Amino acid sequence: MADRPRVLVVTTNWPLRRRGDRTGVFVYDPVKALEDEVDFTVVMPLDAQVAARSERDGTVAVHRFGYWWPRRSQRLAHGDGIPSNLRQSRLAWVQLIGLVLATIVTTLRRSQGTDLIHAHWLPVAVLAWPAAKLRGVPLVVTLHGTDVTQFPDRIVAWSLRRVDVVVSAHDDLLAEAERLAPRTPRLRIRHLVEPQEADPEAVRAVLGDGPIVLFVARLSPERDPVTFVRAARHVLDAVPAARFAVVGEGPERPAVEAEIARLDLGDAVTVFGHRPDVWSFLRAATAFGALSDRNNAWVTAMVEAMVAGVPVVATTAGATAEALHDGEDALLVPVGNPEAVGAAFARLLTDPGLAQRIAAGARRTLEDEGFDPAHVRRQMSQLYRDLADGTLP
């Protein structure tokens, strides 16, 4: 091994920073945090909105590969994500073959001289497996959720047996990996979340000085932004000065905007789309909603809110009810229930003591659960060094 481990990161998501896109921020942040001690190369599909095929982000080399021609007709690895694009476009299904082949070939080419390959999402790991075998280097996969839950067990089990180490921030995904491939080593490494520079006054200049309720997520059905909008109507009945910010982009945006119009919410609810200054919204917020119908523990945006000291209202989907404790570190509500969500938000807005207790409890929970940024950086750095030296965890 060289003095600095040489790591090839293979992913389908890397933020388009120029438009404030947060897609793949959970891939980007740990790479950037370790760039002073690890030599990173990132490969991912080319997005039609990005001109450069190869560029440097600090010391990180980023290579984007095309998978269809002409480039402007690429419909698969951009925008709302591969699963959504497959649902929306027949051409995307045709391009899937090109994406698979291009990922395999590019990973083979870029893996020369690396010490290990780190793939994000299980299907990507399968495509990186030939390069790992050819180069004789370890293959790590980070599981994020749908890469495990939306495929038959036998396919997931076969795929997990192709990798050398499974990493995830989510305990339920690690438990699934243990069930399906018990001999594959597993390691829990939480999301790296560190406070960022923020200008909350810029947000208040737009939304006013009243309490701000915040939703940050991809606007997709499983994140349930429509319930957030419907809950706003119930909150406004109790707290007329409240304002609601929806930060994110996705296929549910038309439905969100239609619901705002239907409920005549006017200026009370604002959809901001992609924003690079999410921490400005977090610093300005009074409450935060994590309303997934699948799982909230531990999605990056919710952890960011907890780090920022914003009390969270979360649905009990998935492992949320095991990870969080109602009335101690969050207020827990049923999935898809605008009345319950609105009532919880109203409690936080009208009871500052409760909001402070919830925020303080959340910080303790994050510490207990291993979210300390220094700890996360040490875990990831040690994993890379061990694997580069030929040692499995």
Side-chain angles (χ1 to χ4, degrees):
M1 182 190 75
D3 291 339
R4 293 160 56 96
R6 295 162 297 186
V7 179
L8 179 67
V9 176
V10 188
T11 181
T12 56
N13 295 83
W14 190 260
L16 307 180
R17 289 292 179 175
R18 64 180 178 79
R19 66 170 186 171
D21 186 6
R22 283 169 54 82
T23 302
V25 69
F26 44 82
V27 181
Y28 181 91
D29 285 348
V31 166
K32 292 296 291 179
L34 293 177
E35 66 176 327
D36 289 339
E37 53 186 288
V38 177
D39 286 333
F40 285 109
T41 299
V42 178
V43 296
M44 62 169 296
L46 188 66
D47 189 297
Q49 300 187 53
V50 177
R53 286 180 176 268
S54 296
E55 62 183 7
R56 280 202 169 267
D57 187 337
T59 67
V60 180
V62 181
H63 300 284
R64 298 180 175 91
F65 57 86
Y67 54 89
W68 202 255
W69 190 90
R71 170 178 160 181
R72 64 178 178 274
S73 71
Q74 292 182 157
R75 293 288 182 270
L76 187 54
H78 72 283
D80 295 330
I82 291 175
S84 179
N85 292 333
L86 287 173
R87 289 192 295 267
Q88 296 174 16
S89 171
R90 292 181 180 178
L91 181 57
W93 280 100
V94 177
Q95 293 179 359
L96 184 60
I97 299 172
L99 180 65
V100 167
L101 294 175
T103 302
I104 294 172
V105 170
T106 305
T107 304
L108 279 167
R109 184 158 59 95
R110 295 293 178 182
S111 62
Q112 186 170 4
T114 60
D115 294 312
L116 63 107
I117 299 174
H118 187 169
H120 285 265
W121 287 277
L122 191 56
V124 177
V126 171
L127 301 183
W129 175 58
K133 294 293 288 185
L134 177 66
R135 305 298 183 195
V137 298
L139 175 60
V140 181
V141 63
T142 294
L143 304 179
H144 294 288
T146 55
D147 49 346
V148 175
T149 60
Q150 292 191 351
F151 294 95
D153 281 359
R154 64 182 183 279
I155 293 177
V156 174
W158 181 88
S159 302
L160 289 170
R161 290 194 292 269
R162 309 277 81 77
V163 305
D164 295 289
V165 181
V166 172
V167 172
S168 185
H170 305 281
D171 296 326
D172 56 330
L173 298 183
L174 292 172
E176 273 296 281
E178 181 178 18
R179 180 177 71 87
L180 295 172
R183 295 183 179 179
T184 303
R186 297 166 302 281
L187 186 61
R188 186 183 78 176
I189 300 180
R190 299 301 197 185
H191 295 307
L192 180 65
V193 176
E194 298 182 276
Q196 306 293 319
E197 292 185 6
D199 183 7
E201 294 306 318
V203 174
R204 294 191 184 97
V206 177
L207 296 177
D209 294 328
I212 296 171
V213 184
L214 180 61
F215 180 95
V216 178
R218 182 170 175 269
L219 303 188
S220 53
E222 70 274 10
R223 297 301 177 194
D224 203 4
V226 172
T227 289
F228 179 81
V229 173
R230 291 171 179 165
R233 168 52 59 202
H234 298 283
V235 178
L236 290 168
D237 292 338
V239 188
R243 292 296 178 264
F244 300 80
V246 178
V247 177
E249 195 57 82
E252 284 289 279
R253 180 163 183 165
V256 167
E257 293 175 335
E259 198 67 9
I260 292 171
R262 186 184 73 83
L263 295 173
D264 193 24
L265 291 171
D267 295 334
V269 182
T270 304
V271 181
F272 287 90
H274 287 305
R275 292 290 298 237
D277 55 344
V278 168
W279 277 86
S280 295
F281 285 85
L282 289 168
R283 293 302 187 190
T286 312
F288 182 93
L291 308 182
S292 172
D293 65 3
R294 296 180 184 176
N295 187 35
N296 297 299
W298 295 92
V299 298
T300 303
M302 186 186 76
V303 175
E304 287 176 331
M306 297 168 76
V307 169
V310 184
V312 169
V313 173
T315 54
T316 55
T320 309
E322 288 75 43
L324 301 178
H325 311 87
D326 186 36
E328 297 180 14
D329 48 22
L331 294 183
L332 301 183
V333 295
V335 172
N337 189 322
E339 295 84 358
V341 175
F345 282 145
R347 287 180 63 195
L348 293 174
L349 300 191
T350 58
D351 188 342
L354 172 64
Q356 291 173 6
R357 290 194 300 274
I358 294 293
R363 284 191 288 268
R364 289 192 296 270
T365 294
L366 289 182
E367 184 176 354
D368 292 343
E369 289 289 338
F371 280 94
D372 176 68
H375 175 66
V376 174
R377 287 194 297 270
R378 285 194 300 270
Q379 280 186 295
M380 188 59 71
S381 177
Q382 191 63 53
L383 174 65
Y384 287 155
R385 292 188 177 280
D386 287 347
L387 290 177
D389 284 334
T391 304
L392 292 177

